[in-house]
Amino acid sequence: MLTMTHLVALTPLILVCITAVAVMLGIAWQRHHAGTAIASAAGLNIALLSVLVIWQMGPVETPLLVIDGLALFAAILILISTLVCVTLAHAYLEKYPGPREEFYLLLLCAAAGGIVLAASRHLATLFFGLELLSMPLYGMLAYAFRERHSLEAGIKYLVLSAAATAFLLFGMALLYAQTGRLDLAGLAVALTEDPNAWALAGAGLMLVGLGFKLSIVPFHLWTPDVYEGGPGPAATFLASASKVAVFVVLLRLVLVAPAFQGDWLHGLLAVLAVVTMLVGNLLALAQSNLKRLLGYSSIAHFGYLMVALVIGDGLAVETVGVYLVTYLVTTLGAFGVVTLLSTPYSGEDAAALHHYRGLFWRRPYLTAVLTVSMLSLAGIPFTAGFIGKFYIIALGVEAERWWLVGGIIMGSAIGLFYYLRVMVTLFLVEPGMQRRDAPHDWGVRAGGVVVLGLALLVLLLGVYPSPMIEWVKLMAVAGS
Amino acid sequence: MSLLLIVLLPLLGSLVPLMGSNERRNACATMTAVAPTIALGIALAYMGQVLDGDIPRAAVSWIPALGLELAMRLDGLSLLFVLLILGIGLLIILYTRFYLADGDDMPRFYAFLMLFMTSMLGIVMADNLLLLWVFWELTSLSSFLLIGYWYRQSEARKGARMALTVTGAGGLALLAGLLLIGQIVGSYDMQVVLDSRELIQQDPRYLPALLLVLLGAFTKSAQVPFQFWLPHAMAAPTPVSAFLHSATMVKAGVFLLARMHPALAGSEAWLYLVGLTGLVTLLYGAYFALLKHDLKGILAFSTVSHLGIITLLFGLDSRLAVVAGLFHIVNHACFKAALFMTAGIVDHECGTRDIRKLKGLWRFMPLTTTMAVLAGAAMAGVPLFNGFLSKEMMLAESLQTPLLGGLSWLIPALATVGSLLSVAYSLRLVRNVFFDGPARDLPRTPHEPPRLMLAPVMLLTVICVVVGLLPALTMTALLEAAASAALAGDSPELHLAIWHGVNPALLMSLTALLGGLLLYLQRRHVFAFQRQFRPRDARLLFEMGIQLGVRIAQRAIDSLENGSLQRYMLWLVIAVLCVAGSALTQTSGLQGPLENQPLDGLLIAGAIIAMFAGLATAIMHRRRLISLLMLSIVGLMTSLAFARFSAPDLALTQLAVEVVNMILLMLALFFLPQKTPQESGAPRILRDVLLAAGFGGIVASLNYAVLTRPLESISDFYLENSVPGGGGHNVVNVILVDFRGFDTLGEITVLCIAAIGIYKLLNRLRLFMPSSDADGRPWALDHHPAILGTVAQTILPLALLVSFFIFLRGHNAPGGGFIAGLITAAALLLLYIARGVDWTQQRAPIQFQPIAVAGVGVATLTGVGSFVFGQPFLTSAYGHFHIPLIGDIELATAILFDLGVYLTVVGSTLMMLANLGKMTTRHRPSKNKEQA
């Protein structure tokens, strides 16, 4: 039975949904770009505030959703990324010729999906959340549909994601047929009582479906194309909020369900983790497009994160938390710069590396943001990325998983090389070629302010991460 | 606290030069020098205390969660390095002032330099393993900035990148190693770690930890096989080479060996790994130093070689060897920095560093020549210079080593060979450049550099000579303090003196000196020998490695990620096949405890038709209309299968959904090309068929396995409670309108909102009716053929009747509001298609929005109605009524709710689909508004 407590605990989700409906009705009534953006941002901010308020409550469980530390943690990350995407989208869509307001609607729906996904304790909500997260993304990616690449990205993501979802669904069906349960807890109990190969196949297929969304090798093939083709804000959302939500639910599955902890799946996860780190980094070497490069880099980073899944003990949750925070801040910063440089919308995004040649000489602050992000992605000390990488390596060393540690080190070394390449490009002498540039007043716009703030946050988290770590620990305690 | 200042002052100092300007260079240099001078003062103030054996420590909490705290210590080892770093650093600042050309950005250089100094000081003073690592990474980063200072040169960029990649990777290995040590000891505090030698060395994780730490140290100190980055880092400005690549950064590796010596050394593994690496590096560096023609190249390889000597000394299992190693660190820093600066002066004055072009410079720059001769003599290990002392200690220690057991005589022999080579290249460096006949064809006429530029060289040379003459007086105290830190105990008694009497070491030294002279004179044989080998440039190898990586990546990208959706799908399916297939191999058999269902003719026929239709859909997919028809057969067979296996309600729903779907697909087809061009060749078709068959096989096996196993589900509960609780025999309908009525209410509300949303969002969509198909044939002029129109019109009342019937019986027999709604919607849509929007709109000007909204309203009111009877929301009641003529009928309040469902379904479906159809006509919603 739904009680008041439940409703209170679900406030953030409800607020996001209300905002989505309000935005939709607003569009139907009167189109107004800035108004829509402000309304979305306001709704998200209120939702964020409400999360902070209900943070005090203990875990609240409904039959379908659980609002515990992990869920709230993910909700915060998702809401923040969505907020960043809203501000970026506002700058980006300024000159977009078609209807602009629907983008926010899609963004809000996807955010709601992410929150549901991260809070799900039932396969039904898992599926529902995943779909609610993915469906709007099809639209967002193909939003600039007059641009061939954008349309292609949308359709590719649609078709492949549908296939992956089918596998996920089939896996769920197998698990259900095996146990007759759909809630994760019941599933776990039933599988412990009677573990067998069908459950494995089911869990394996679910892993495929979720792995696809996380673009884990070998399900990663769509990633670079889609990142490259999609409009900046959509790619940003895909790389941040979407991944956080899916990863959190995968973590939940691994922590709860014994089928995910058996030897076979464990081995599979470990192999996938190593392969993902190495392939992601290796393929990034040859990229000459920043968005594609970031795509591969995000593949590699989730390879590192999977180490936490493989090890899956108490410290793993904390590690995941810290890593997700640092990854998110950094990625948002990097994608933010790319988006701002492609702002206002004028056809294809400025993502080829040569667009960035000598950026320092015309946009020193944006360059600083991008440099900081690259350093952080490479895991250099005094940036947020270092803290994350430290946690992952510490986790691997503690569990004595030498292959994984070796993979992280190899991958990071390769990573260092191509992140440096980007950084060096920024400072090269400006060539006389045509260039794409951010508008002159980017710094005082919402998007610009947010990006600068993110860069500062990357540094702050790198120098003084203790509050963040304390917070994540709280989450990990509340979540387990 | 003032301990922390030693590190923090240079950090602040890195901001100072940025305030200076490129024009006022003297001011800029002076301002920069202030911070390190104060830091040096503080260090000197601590000196007495440290030499007495105290270890001042200071700590500030930083990130307790990681065990990382800002903890500093100043033991003898740290002090030795701090003095080196700050002292030589100050000299470098002075030298740089004159070295940088007018166009170079001086504040930037100084800022990087101070940043580097900070990180280096951090390494040597860190009292926490992790802090040490943090600074370690910072040296890599700041050295990257310094090496790449002339960022316009591709050489500099590549060298910088290589240095950072190699040392950065080594740094990560080091981190893993340090973490492991921390795990073993349970603390990252330096003192605790250094005191836990037994604990660490008896732990099974000792070997991996040692390997990882050594990997970090060896990459940083350019030991074979990681030596290749150092010569290429010479693209840096010379002050950087003098500071980083002789005195400090490359010494970080050997510093680490000294620092961790108390905890890690003493084992067989350490002896062999460190000792042999040092020996090989010593020989490798010395040999190639002899062959290089670039002045800085010679110095770089000689640095590699000398680092090898130091590593060898730390590797040898003797306490005196460690002292010798520390001594050599100091000596090497002094003479090598002096030589680098001299090389910079030569380069600066002559415009070239090629030793083949330089000759007889002593005529032009006698003072510089004197300095070079003295420093070169120190490098060669000539008696009366500091290099001689440490080298002789090295030779003496190499005689004692247990390394290689019976073959241990190899060590001193090879060490002597190394010294011999070093004599030869020192001779070559000094004689060829400064003497050897008069100079010819120099790019520029050289003369003495400014006094102040020469001053640092002079100071360093003087130190070399003074230490060489009075070793006991100058170095004993400092070395003993450093050694007691590196050995975690009292330093062995030192007898630094020039003359120890005639002993084997002296003989070896003499052999080396004479042999070196001889080798130098006969060097053309060596060159001739070397010419037989293909020159192998380490950078080329590294770049080739990178290029190879890139090429592999590119090939992988070309074959994996060519942008083809089919290819992506292929890999996805293959991955799934592997995952599910390998899971299937884990099981014993597919058959579960349940028996197979008996087969009969009907079933077989149905299955064959379904399979045939499925195949046909795939085969005919290029002709979309036919393929669509085949697909509808598959759908029909599915519905029939539901009906056959006692789920008539589901069958009915499936059927209705199929019909609506089909209509929607037809509408979409209208806007799409009629045919797909053939693109696949035979091999690809074969591949796809195999893949599809494999995948089908896996899915079928899984299905079979699941179906032959008993299943317990929640349905029993509903089956039992449907009649007593909801008054209906149609369980599905009862669930929908009664048990889970609240959910349904939510669902239809969402459906209604979604439909309105779509309706409004379609406002701006402009679709244009295609007038011809893909081949250019015009569509039939008659858009609405009479037969279809007549049929549709005839069917409409019938369909409405059927849907009413189904609606009414829904509670007990298969049917219900949802299905009835779909039937009505399908019939109306058919009419729209058959007769066109105009025609239909004229005759039935129905607005669908109110219908949908009314549906939600009715459903809600039904729910609210139960409040009137004092019941909770959506409570249902039912009863039997007798109606004349029709007979006994059972009615439940749920039927009202179902009416709401019905209305919503009809309204929403038509609102969406009919309006989509309207897009092409003048009934387009937005058009109307705009025109009006």
Side-chain angles (χ1 to χ4, degrees):
Chain A
M1 199 53 204
L2 204 64
T3 63
M4 208 54 209
T5 329
H6 291 153
L7 278 180
V8 171
L10 291 174
T11 325
L13 180 59
I14 295 171
L15 281 171
V16 174
C17 294
I18 287 177
T19 316
V21 172
V23 163
M24 184 173 80
L25 295 178
I27 297 171
W29 176 54
Q30 177 78 57
R31 284 183 179 277
H32 191 277
H33 182 212
T36 311
I38 291 172
S40 316
L44 289 167
N45 270 313
I46 297 172
L48 204 53
L49 281 180
S50 73
V51 178
L52 296 181
V53 172
I54 60 172
W55 184 260
Q56 315 297 334
M57 297 169 65
V60 177
E61 290 191 0
T62 72
L64 292 176
L65 296 173
V66 53
I67 309 294
D68 56 2
L70 197 57
L72 289 177
F73 170 78
I76 290 179
L77 294 190
I78 292 166
L79 287 172
I80 289 177
S81 350
T82 315
L83 258 176
V84 172
C85 291
V86 165
T87 53
L88 290 176
H90 177 244
Y92 183 84
L93 293 174
E94 190 98 284
K95 294 273 163 61
Y96 181 70
R100 291 168 288 188
E101 292 78 5
E102 280 84 351
F103 195 85
Y104 302 95
L105 175 59
L106 296 172
L107 208 52
L108 288 165
C109 291
I115 296 175
V116 170
L117 184 61
S120 58
R121 61 184 294 255
H122 194 274
L123 291 185
T125 33
L126 192 156
F127 184 72
F128 167 74
L130 195 67
E131 285 303 281
L132 188 54
L133 178 66
S134 307
M135 296 270 182
L137 268 169
Y138 309 147
M140 280 156 72
L141 288 169
Y143 203 76
F145 63 92
R146 286 186 185 80
E147 205 54 53
R148 204 183 126 260
H149 282 294
S150 175
L151 190 59
E152 189 183 318
I155 289 179
K156 266 183 188 160
Y157 191 59
L158 167 71
V159 174
L160 291 171
S161 172
T165 307
F167 297 135
L168 178 78
L169 212 50
F170 193 59
M172 287 182 181
L174 281 178
L175 284 181
Y176 177 69
Q178 180 63 40
T179 61
R181 302 295 294 266
L182 281 174
D183 56 318
L184 296 189
L187 210 61
V189 173
L191 284 177
T192 325
E193 284 165 4
D194 179 24
N196 62 31
W198 311 119
L200 279 189
L205 286 171
M206 281 187 73
L207 189 67
V208 171
L210 294 174
F212 171 85
K213 304 277 174 183
L214 289 176
S215 46
I216 285 165
V217 177
F219 321 115
H220 70 287
L221 293 148
W222 58 277
T223 317
D225 284 5
V226 169
Y227 278 33
E228 184 193 2
T236 313
F237 188 86
L238 195 58
S240 56
S242 161
K243 288 207 166 185
V244 169
V246 179
F247 195 83
V248 165
V249 85
L250 191 55
L251 179 70
R252 240 185 236 287
L253 280 177
V254 172
L255 289 181
V256 167
F260 282 96
Q261 286 160 5
D263 281 341
W264 181 77
L265 262 180
H266 222 124
L268 185 67
L269 274 175
V271 170
L272 288 185
V274 173
V275 171
T276 305
M277 296 172 206
L278 292 183
V279 170
N281 277 316
L282 268 178
L283 294 192
L285 269 183
Q287 295 308 321
S288 59
N289 180 304
L290 190 55
K291 273 164 103 183
R292 289 183 80 91
L293 190 138
L294 285 173
Y296 282 112
S297 137
S298 86
I299 293 175
H301 278 276
F302 275 84
Y304 304 146
L305 254 177
M306 279 180 71
V307 172
L309 288 186
V310 177
I311 293 169
D313 61 2
L315 191 62
V317 181
E318 192 184 326
T319 307
V320 167
V322 171
Y323 203 95
L324 279 181
V325 172
T326 58
Y327 165 82
L328 196 76
V329 177
T330 311
T331 307
L332 286 175
F335 270 102
V337 174
V338 177
T339 311
L340 282 183
L341 276 178
S342 318
T343 296
Y345 173 84
S346 51
E348 209 176 316
D349 284 4
L353 264 187
H354 65 77
H355 286 136
Y356 292 79
R357 222 181 134 97
L359 183 70
F360 175 72
W361 308 106
R362 39 183 221 269
R363 291 272 174 263
Y365 290 103
L366 268 187
T367 309
V369 173
L370 195 54
T371 310
V372 167
S373 305
M374 287 294 145
L375 286 175
S376 180
L377 284 174
I380 302 289
F382 298 108
T383 59
F386 160 65
I387 308 292
K389 188 150 288 170
F390 179 92
Y391 259 90
I392 289 283
I393 295 185
L395 189 71
V397 167
E398 192 191 34
E400 299 186 31
R401 298 286 191 137
W402 300 118
W403 280 105
L404 293 176
V405 175
I408 299 171
I409 290 177
M410 277 291 294
S412 305
I414 303 172
L416 203 56
F417 192 83
Y418 64 82
Y419 293 128
L420 281 179
R421 203 170 121 234
V422 175
M423 274 163 56
V424 169
T425 309
L426 297 175
F427 293 91
L428 287 181
V429 191
E430 192 168 6
M433 57 204 323
Q434 53 98 217
R435 61 193 208 195
R436 298 282 301 275
D437 212 339
H440 286 288
D441 59 342
W442 68 269
V444 294
R445 303 262 196 100
V449 173
V450 164
V451 166
L452 284 176
L454 284 169
L456 286 181
L457 198 58
V458 168
L459 290 175
L460 185 70
L461 288 181
V463 175
Y464 188 58
S466 293
M468 185 263 290
I469 292 174
E470 290 305 316
W471 176 60
V472 169
K473 269 189 179 155
L474 251 152
M475 174 277 290
V477 171
S480 56
Chain B
M1 271 325 273
S2 51
L3 258 191
L4 293 180
L5 280 183
I6 298 180
V7 176
L8 292 181
L9 273 174
L11 184 61
L12 286 178
S14 69
L15 299 176
V16 171
L18 293 178
M19 289 185 279
S21 76
N22 216 8
E23 280 71 45
R24 305 178 55 198
R25 303 197 142 206
N26 287 335
C28 188
T30 320
M31 270 162 33
T32 311
V34 172
T37 313
I38 301 175
L40 187 61
I42 298 174
L44 287 174
Y46 274 107
M47 194 161 165
Q49 197 186 343
V50 175
L51 291 185
D52 287 343
D54 262 11
I55 302 179
R57 302 170 72 178
V60 177
S61 172
W62 185 14
I63 312 175
L66 307 189
L68 181 56
E69 54 177 6
L70 205 59
M72 294 292 166
R73 67 194 267 133
L74 192 68
D75 54 14
L77 188 61
S78 309
L79 182 70
L80 183 77
F81 272 89
V82 167
L83 294 180
L84 266 183
I85 294 162
L86 287 171
I88 297 187
L90 280 168
L91 296 179
I92 294 289
I93 291 175
L94 178 61
Y95 179 82
T96 308
R97 155 66 189 86
F98 298 96
Y99 178 83
L100 285 187
D102 289 338
D104 293 329
D105 184 357
M106 185 177 265
R108 186 160 62 93
F109 186 89
Y110 278 140
F112 290 167
L113 193 70
M114 297 303 285
L115 193 64
F116 174 77
M117 207 186 273
T118 310
S119 37
M120 202 60 216
L121 288 169
I123 290 184
V124 300
M125 288 177 63
D127 197 16
N128 178 299
L129 283 186
L130 296 177
L131 188 68
L132 187 150
W133 184 80
V134 167
F135 283 116
W136 183 279
E137 282 299 273
L138 275 188
T139 55
S140 298
L141 193 66
S142 48
S143 78
F144 168 76
L145 294 172
L146 281 170
I147 298 172
Y149 174 73
W150 283 323
Y151 57 89
R152 286 185 176 81
Q153 301 175 357
S154 118
E155 195 80 349
R157 290 201 306 267
K158 282 185 179 152
R161 208 157 69 178
M162 182 153 80
L164 182 50
T165 310
V166 175
T167 54
L172 286 169
L174 175 65
L175 175 62
L178 294 180
L179 284 172
L180 202 53
I181 293 177
Q183 291 282 326
I184 298 172
V185 180
S187 162
Y188 294 111
D189 185 89
M190 189 68 78
Q191 197 57 51
V192 178
V193 171
L194 294 185
D195 291 340
S196 320
R197 180 195 154 105
E198 297 289 311
L199 187 65
I200 294 174
Q201 301 212 356
Q202 277 161 14
D203 197 281
R205 289 169 288 182
Y206 167 68
L207 198 61
L210 178 68
L211 280 174
L212 288 167
V213 171
L214 288 184
L215 209 56
F218 288 168
T219 47
K220 198 76 154 184
S221 278
Q223 299 293 302
V224 174
F226 307 109
Q227 82 293 346
F228 56 87
W229 68 266
L230 185 57
H232 291 284
M234 291 300 143
T238 304
V240 174
S241 312
F243 193 42
L244 268 65
H245 304 135
S246 69
T248 53
M249 188 176 94
V250 291
K251 295 279 165 57
V254 285
F255 167 80
L256 189 72
L257 294 181
R259 176 54 92 207
M260 302 308 288
H261 197 274
L264 296 180
S267 65
E268 283 276 298
W270 171 281
L271 181 67
Y272 277 86
L273 282 170
V274 180
L276 289 183
T277 309
L279 192 64
V280 173
T281 312
L282 156 65
L283 290 171
Y284 176 94
Y287 179 68
F288 281 96
L290 187 61
L291 294 174
K292 287 289 149 183
H293 299 301
D294 178 16
L295 215 48
K296 278 176 83 176
I298 297 175
L299 291 175
F301 276 102
S302 117
T303 305
V304 171
S305 152
H306 280 272
L307 289 169
I309 294 182
I310 300 168
T311 309
L312 172 65
L313 282 168
F314 285 137
L316 295 180
D317 196 14
S318 110
R319 299 171 73 79
L320 213 53
V322 174
V323 184
L326 293 170
F327 193 23
H328 199 67
I329 287 176
V330 180
N331 295 337
H332 176 250
C334 290
F335 64 67
K336 192 51 70 61
L339 282 172
F340 264 118
M341 289 197 229
T342 318
I345 291 173
V346 169
D347 186 15
H348 202 253
E349 296 295 328
C350 304
T352 178
R353 293 194 318 235
D354 192 330
I355 199 162
R356 286 165 298 190
K357 292 185 189 152
L358 295 165
K359 240 180 193 186
L361 292 186
W362 69 274
R363 286 170 206 279
F364 304 102
M365 27 180 32
L367 215 52
T368 312
T369 308
T370 320
M371 297 306 134
V373 170
L374 296 180
M379 177 159 81
V382 176
L384 302 186
F385 292 94
N386 60 356
F388 170 72
L389 298 171
S390 46
K391 186 170 283 183
E392 202 178 39
M393 284 169 85
M394 185 264 291
L395 292 173
E397 288 310 312
S398 67
L399 286 168
Q400 320 275 333
T401 181
L403 192 61
L404 293 182
L407 286 179
S408 69
W409 57 268
L410 262 177
I411 310 294
L414 291 176
T416 314
V417 172
S419 311
L420 184 152
L421 285 167
S422 111
V423 172
Y425 68 69
S426 304
L427 254 175
R428 174 162 176 257
L429 180 76
V430 174
R431 179 165 176 272
N432 284 26
V433 174
F434 293 98
F435 304 99
D436 200 17
R440 275 172 310 186
D441 305 334
L442 286 177
R444 244 181 275 162
T445 313
H447 36 71
E448 287 286 1
R451 283 280 158 73
L452 281 174
M453 189 174 181
L454 204 53
V457 188
M458 286 165 115
L459 189 62
L460 287 171
T461 322
V462 168
I463 292 177
C464 289
V465 178
V466 170
V467 170
L469 289 175
L470 304 166
L473 194 65
T474 46
M475 292 302 294
T476 307
L478 197 57
L479 275 184
E480 278 184 348
S484 66
L487 292 168
D490 286 336
S491 156
E493 212 168 315
L494 277 184
H495 301 289
L496 295 178
I498 306 171
W499 182 252
H500 285 290
V502 180
N503 55 14
L506 184 71
L507 292 178
M508 283 156 76
S509 272
L510 285 178
T511 317
L513 275 175
L514 293 176
L517 185 63
L518 207 64
L519 183 65
Y520 170 69
L521 294 175
Q522 298 299 318
R523 64 185 181 282
R524 62 196 157 79
H525 296 299
V526 183
F527 283 96
F529 172 69
Q530 184 62 29
R531 263 196 292 278
Q532 297 170 9
F533 297 91
R534 214 149 44 90
R536 287 191 320 149
D537 189 341
R539 194 195 73 226
L540 286 184
L541 275 185
F542 179 81
E543 288 286 326
M544 256 164 59
I546 294 286
Q547 289 308 321
L548 188 72
V550 171
R551 258 209 308 284
I552 292 173
Q554 193 62 52
R555 200 168 302 158
I557 287 172
D558 290 344
S559 63
L560 287 177
E561 318 216 349
N562 52 358
S564 151
L565 186 58
Q566 286 87 340
R567 188 71 62 94
Y568 297 175
M569 196 58 115
L570 173 79
W571 285 107
L572 188 63
V573 173
I574 288 180
V576 172
L577 272 184
C578 293
V579 169
S582 73
L584 273 181
T585 54
Q586 309 261 315
T587 178
S588 46
L590 287 180
Q591 176 78 47
L594 291 189
E595 286 299 308
N596 290 345
Q597 294 246 351
L599 287 174
D600 57 29
L602 210 55
L603 207 60
I604 294 173
I608 288 176
I609 293 175
M611 280 194 282
F612 168 77
L615 265 177
T617 313
I619 292 171
M620 304 294 244
H621 77 276
R622 277 188 204 85
R623 308 176 66 184
R624 292 181 174 157
L625 193 63
I626 299 176
S627 146
L628 197 61
L629 290 178
M630 291 299 154
L631 192 62
S632 70
I633 296 179
V634 178
L636 184 68
M637 296 319 290
T638 314
S639 309
L640 287 179
F642 284 146
R644 155 100 190 176
F645 294 111
S646 53
D649 193 274
L650 198 54
L652 209 52
T653 313
Q654 171 78 19
L655 199 61
V657 170
E658 278 290 329
V659 171
V660 176
N661 257 340
M662 208 48 70
I663 291 174
L664 188 59
L665 274 173
M666 290 295 230
L667 195 61
L669 265 193
F670 180 57
F671 293 105
L672 290 174
Q674 298 303 298
K675 280 184 189 164
T676 318
Q678 167 135 17
E679 277 167 352
S680 317
R684 179 185 279 206
I685 291 177
L686 182 67
R687 179 197 78 187
D688 292 348
V689 166
L690 285 178
L691 198 67
F695 191 66
I698 296 259
V699 171
S701 338
L702 284 172
N703 273 339
Y704 181 77
V706 167
L707 288 175
T708 50
R709 280 166 172 72
L711 172 68
E712 277 174 41
S713 74
I714 196 169
S715 27
D716 291 337
F717 167 81
Y718 288 119
L719 288 176
E720 280 165 22
N721 288 294
S722 168
V723 177
H729 294 281
N730 178 359
V731 180
V732 176
N733 188 261
V734 172
I735 292 175
L736 276 180
V737 300
D738 194 330
F739 289 144
R740 308 209 62 105
F742 196 66
D743 290 359
T744 311
L745 181 63
E747 279 156 19
I748 58 173
T749 314
V750 169
L751 184 64
C752 181
I753 293 179
I756 293 176
I758 293 174
Y759 176 71
K760 290 304 284 185
L761 293 176
L762 284 177
N763 261 354
R764 288 214 193 163
L765 184 67
R766 272 146 217 261
L767 286 174
F768 293 98
M769 200 178 334
S771 56
S772 61
D773 68 2
D775 301 331
R777 287 171 303 208
W779 287 98
L781 284 179
D782 181 12
H783 285 304
H784 307 295
I787 297 178
L788 182 61
T790 319
V791 171
Q793 243 174 302
T794 324
I795 283 181
L796 182 66
L798 270 175
L800 288 181
L801 197 65
V802 168
S803 81
F804 183 65
F805 170 66
I806 283 186
F807 171 74
L808 269 189
R809 75 200 284 260
H811 211 52
N812 289 316
F818 181 69
I819 301 170
L822 281 180
I823 293 174
T824 311
L828 282 173
L829 279 176
L830 194 62
L831 195 64
Y832 267 97
I833 289 177
R835 286 296 187 182
V837 177
D838 292 342
W839 188 92
T840 322
Q841 211 61 10
Q842 272 171 14
R843 282 161 186 78
I846 311 168
Q847 289 295 319
F848 296 109
Q849 298 91 301
I851 294 183
V853 174
V856 179
V858 168
T860 316
L861 283 179
T862 317
V864 174
S866 47
F867 285 135
V868 178
F869 300 98
Q871 299 286 335
F873 189 60
L874 267 180
T875 314
S876 68
Y878 58 93
H880 290 268
F881 303 95
H882 187 78
I883 300 174
L885 289 180
I886 296 175
D888 211 23
I889 190 168
E890 186 185 288
L891 275 182
T893 54
I895 206 163
L896 273 179
F897 185 78
D898 222 11
L899 180 65
V901 175
Y902 171 82
L903 289 177
T904 316
V905 169
V906 173
S908 303
T909 315
L910 282 170
M911 206 188 330
M912 290 185 269
L913 294 184
N915 276 309
L916 203 59
K918 267 192 219 168
M919 286 301 108
T920 54
T921 69
R922 60 192 174 78
H923 289 278
R924 185 188 304 153
S926 64
K927 258 277 167 68
N928 292 342
K929 228 178 278 171
E930 279 160 24
Q931 281 163 358

